[in-house]
Amino acid sequence: MASTAKTIEPIISAAWGKPQSWTLDSYRKRGGYEALKKALQMEPAAIIDEVKKSNLRGRGGAGFPTGLKWSFVPKDSPKPKYLAVNGDESEPGTFKDRYILEDDPHMMLEGIAIASYALGVHTCYVYLRGEFKFPAERTQAAIDEAYKAGIFGKKVLGKDYELNCYLVRGAGAYICGEETALLESLEGKKGWPRLKPPFPAVVGLFGCPTVVNNVETLASVPAIFQQGAEAYAKLGTDKSGGTRLVCLSGTVNRPGVYEVSMFTTLSELIFDDKYGRGMPAGRKVKAVIPGGSSAPVLGADELDVAMEFEALKVKQTMAGSGGVIVMDDTTCMVRSLWRVARFYAEESCGQCTPCREGTPWQTRLLRKIEEGRGEPGDIDMLSNVASSIAPYPPIGLGNTICALGDAAALPTHSFLMRFRDEFEAHIREHRCPFGDKPWGSFG
Ligand code: NAI
Ligand code: SF4
């Protein structure tokens, strides 16, 4: 399909793929750290107000308004305050933050410096998933450059304000991307999520107020001060300012990471010449997961929806972490769900019963159905197990300590709601109707 999607000037991805884009020299030539200079001349409260006006929402998955989160940090607390950057990107289908870390880490570092100054933070930890060896090397090199250039250290750009930034690598556990598990891990403990509230903004790292922001969220901050908050807000919808990165994978002709307008629809992302360029010849879309594997799946007739938090909420799914997974008509939905369920069962930390017991139970039932051993009643039992972990809808009100429980249950509910006939066919025919080649997008 020829391009009809709204054209945007890329912000986050503008320099990706250009020579030496990850260096301080390249970033400065593009106006890098000018936003920090501006911010350092403002009152911290005015910086937070600007971020509120920009309508920037968290890009890690939950879409919480960034300025509002910053404003929850108590101003009069005698305790130190911390900024923790969540770079544990592990949600299946999500692979955008790594490009910021590899190709333009200074954009995130500038966001860190602006946020830290606004929040009265003197120590920031950048927490990267263990597997991110190369992104970690690039990011550490950028941190070293920033220290040498006086961006971090005793006096940030000559101002009487000290900021230190440390890179920490996780050990490859998905759960450490949950913000409170991440804080536990930073404290040197096992990555077990904490009950919320209290939220980290009030009781976070070492019991002190801590803002946890995603890599892309912080990389979006400099643009707010370069363009002005109103201009940034106007790029998006009433409730979601700016542009966003989405990761397109599955059966499409041109998978990849694309920076899109908040008005871009799933259908445009998949079919437009600027993005996915449609499906391979002879294939049709069967289903799309719009926001990382925890987001409820949509059917082929539901793709005319903007990839924005509120628009996808209306469809009872989530914009989440921007991982768009396309499944074609050769994909077995039972096997796909089994694949997703195995992931959550494997990554459950085991702290609370519905998640610890329910996630492997889902996996066992799905395997049984996929292998042709399913019995009448198994589908209801599967639905029951998922409901015990988290009911559907509403989204986000599960029976567990952290959102991994919701993430494990929501796919089950949505697959059963939209593709129940496939589950029934497996049980009726005592086999997978997709035969020997059922893997489709979920190989
Ligand atoms: P959440 O909705 O509990 O919280 C969102 C953020 O807002 C948190 O930082 C929380 O501390 C803050 N917050 C919310 N209410 C607050 C209040 N009253 N006071 C102070 N702070 C408040 O969601 P959560 O658990 O942080 O994230 C879940 C999402 O993460 C999922 O929807 C999923 O899409 C995404 N995710 C992303 C991954 C990735 O690799 N990017 C991996 C796994 C999940
Ligand atoms: Fe651990 Fe699952 Fe409970 Fe989260 S929901 S704390 S991952 S057992």
Side-chain angles (χ1 to χ4, degrees):
M1 151 171 148
S3 182
T4 53
K6 190 174 184 236
T7 303
I8 53 145
E9 280 298 316
I11 297 173
I12 309 276
S13 60
W16 294 1
K18 300 209 170 128
Q20 303 291 307
S21 61
W22 53 92
T23 61
L24 178 58
D25 191 39
S26 156
Y27 189 58
R28 279 207 152 130
K29 280 186 183 140
R30 290 179 269 128
Y33 291 106
E34 291 302 316
L36 175 60
K37 277 187 200 156
K38 271 192 207 166
L40 289 172
Q41 284 160 16
M42 295 168 69
E43 287 298 318
I47 297 176
I48 296 176
D49 279 347
E50 281 297 286
V51 175
K52 275 190 187 162
K53 267 191 243 156
S54 75
N55 286 342
L56 173 64
R57 293 174 67 163
R59 303 290 197 249
F64 197 82
T66 306
L68 185 63
K69 192 192 275 191
W70 291 7
S71 70
F72 289 143
V73 173
K75 284 158 205 63
D76 46 3
S77 169
K79 295 180 176 174
K81 295 164 191 138
Y82 295 103
L83 175 65
V85 182
N86 191 342
D88 195 65
E89 179 166 73
S90 312
E91 178 79 343
T94 313
F95 41 90
K96 61 184 178 65
D97 292 340
R98 64 172 306 149
Y99 288 102
I100 299 173
L101 300 165
E102 287 175 10
D103 273 26
D104 212 353
H106 281 284
M107 195 179 277
M108 175 192 73
L109 297 186
E110 186 173 16
I112 287 175
I114 295 171
S116 300
Y117 176 66
L119 295 164
V121 160
H122 297 286
T123 308
C124 166
Y125 295 98
V126 180
Y127 187 99
L128 301 189
R129 67 177 284 181
E131 294 89 338
F132 274 2
K133 184 171 182 294
F134 181 55
E137 283 166 11
R138 281 266 169 93
T139 306
Q140 186 59 59
I143 293 173
D144 294 345
E145 280 185 311
Y147 268 104
K148 273 196 200 126
I151 293 159
F152 293 145
K154 291 263 177 236
K155 286 185 187 286
V156 171
L157 293 181
K159 193 170 175 102
D160 191 16
Y161 162 64
E162 177 170 1
L163 176 61
N164 291 297
C165 181
Y166 304 99
L167 189 145
V168 180
R169 282 177 66 191
Y174 170 77
I175 195 58
C176 288
E178 196 284 331
E179 60 176 1
T180 58
L182 184 152
L183 298 177
E184 291 281 302
S185 172
L186 272 179
E187 290 178 7
K189 299 184 216 148
K190 186 154 69 175
W192 269 12
R194 303 172 183 167
L195 269 174
K196 296 191 279 188
F199 289 95
V202 182
V203 183
L205 190 60
F206 307 116
C208 301
T210 305
V211 164
V212 185
N213 278 152
N214 163 262
V215 169
E216 184 190 343
T217 311
L218 287 160
S220 303
V221 168
I224 298 170
F225 294 86
Q226 278 154 8
Q227 310 188 357
E230 274 168 28
Y232 185 87
K234 271 194 199 143
L235 294 173
T237 65
D238 286 354
K239 290 189 177 165
S240 295
T243 58
R244 70 177 305 218
L245 297 175
V246 289
C247 321
L248 180 61
S249 65
T251 331
V252 285
N253 285 322
R254 207 166 67 127
V257 178
Y258 298 104
E259 186 166 356
V260 297
S261 145
M262 295 288 177
F263 300 96
T264 306
T265 63
L266 278 169
S267 173
E268 285 167 337
L269 180 73
I270 296 165
F271 292 104
D272 197 280
D273 273 0
K274 279 207 282 281
Y275 309 121
R277 295 188 184 163
M279 311 286 287
R283 305 279 184 91
K284 287 192 188 125
V285 178
K286 181 193 246 181
V288 175
I289 294 175
S293 60
S294 51
V297 69
L298 294 173
D301 54 348
E302 299 176 284
L303 306 182
D304 200 13
V305 55
M307 289 177 290
E308 181 274 327
F309 299 100
E310 300 302 320
L312 282 161
K313 211 196 275 179
V314 171
K315 298 259 179 198
Q316 292 185 346
T317 183
M318 310 184 303
S321 50
V324 177
I325 306 170
V326 181
M327 289 175 264
D328 68 39
D329 49 359
T330 66
T331 308
C332 168
M333 299 310 279
V334 176
R335 191 172 280 215
S336 305
L337 182 59
W338 175 26
R339 183 72 193 83
V340 171
R342 281 206 322 258
F343 174 80
Y344 290 112
E346 176 73 26
E347 297 297 337
S348 166
C349 82
Q351 218 184 155
C352 37
T353 310
C355 175
R356 183 187 61 244
E357 302 300 327
T359 53
W361 195 347
Q362 290 195 134
T363 308
R364 285 194 299 274
L365 279 167
L366 285 161
R367 178 175 183 178
K368 186 179 166 200
I369 297 171
E370 172 60 13
E371 291 181 347
R373 295 178 288 112
E375 299 165 84
D378 280 350
I379 297 177
D380 287 344
M381 190 185 295
L382 181 61
S383 169
N384 226 317
V385 172
S387 296
S388 310
I389 307 172
Y392 181 77
I395 289 173
L397 286 182
N399 300 324
T400 54
I401 293 174
C402 87
L404 190 144
D406 301 354
L410 293 177
T412 304
H413 289 304
S414 62
F415 273 62
L416 286 181
M417 209 166 81
R418 290 178 171 88
F419 299 99
R420 193 179 174 104
D421 54 336
E422 272 193 33
F423 290 76
E424 287 169 350
H426 278 72
I427 294 177
R428 200 173 46 246
E429 296 175 26
H430 301 292
R431 65 181 188 103
C432 171
F434 291 84
D436 292 338
K437 290 185 285 184
W439 283 105
S441 308
F442 271 82

